[in-house]
């Protein structure tokens, strides 16, 4: 999506880059990556959040990716006692 925007508005982006270079005393090569990040954030903020549009399959894939991303942390497993209702709520349970 960002690539399409950049192609469709190439001249405008060049003009903006030149103006920013002029007023910040930076080179266009220094401005371009910063402008790309800003455009990407602006585009992403227009899209609805994942939780509003994700299908069940997308949720399952995202959850599995999250689980996999934590495997390398080698965190200890909790015992059955540690996650029992009694140990969590005590007398209030």
């Amino acid at each position: 999506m960002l690539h399409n925007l950049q192609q469709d508005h190439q001249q405008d982006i060049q003009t903006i880059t030149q103006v920013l270079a002029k007023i910040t005393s930076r080179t266009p090569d220094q401005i371009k990556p910063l402008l790309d990040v800003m455009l990407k954030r602006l585009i992403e903020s227009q899209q609805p959040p994942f939780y509003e549009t994700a299908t069940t399959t997308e949720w399952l894939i995202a959850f599995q990716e999250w689980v996999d991303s934590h495997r390398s942390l080698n965190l200890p497993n909790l015992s059955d006692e540690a996650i029992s209702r009694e140990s969590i709520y005590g007398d209030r349970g």
Side-chain angles (χ1 to χ4, degrees):
M1 181 174 259
L2 178 61
H3 183 69
N4 292 342
L5 179 80
Q6 290 171 325
Q7 284 183 332
D8 294 344
H9 300 280
Q10 185 175 6
Q11 185 61 42
D12 293 332
I13 291 171
Q14 277 184 325
T15 301
I16 292 167
T17 302
Q18 292 300 322
V19 169
L20 288 171
K22 182 179 177 181
I23 65 175
T24 64
S25 300
R26 293 181 182 241
T27 67
D29 289 339
Q30 292 172 317
I31 298 291
K32 185 71 172 101
L34 300 171
L35 186 57
D36 289 346
V37 169
M38 185 179 72
L39 288 171
K40 183 178 178 188
R41 287 183 182 170
L42 289 169
I43 290 169
E44 288 174 353
S45 68
Q46 293 175 352
Q47 297 174 352
F50 176 81
Y51 66 86
E52 288 183 1
T53 61
T55 65
T56 302
T57 302
E58 290 170 330
W59 272 108
L60 292 171
I61 291 169
F63 180 71
Q64 189 60 53
E65 288 173 353
W66 179 82
V67 169
D68 292 342
S69 74
H70 287 75
R71 289 193 193 282
S72 64
L73 299 177
N74 294 324
L75 299 171
N77 292 329
L78 294 174
S79 67
D80 288 343
E81 172 61 27
I83 59 173
S84 71
R85 182 175 190 83
E86 294 79 24
S87 69
I88 294 171
Y89 294 106
D91 294 334
R92 300 174 294 154

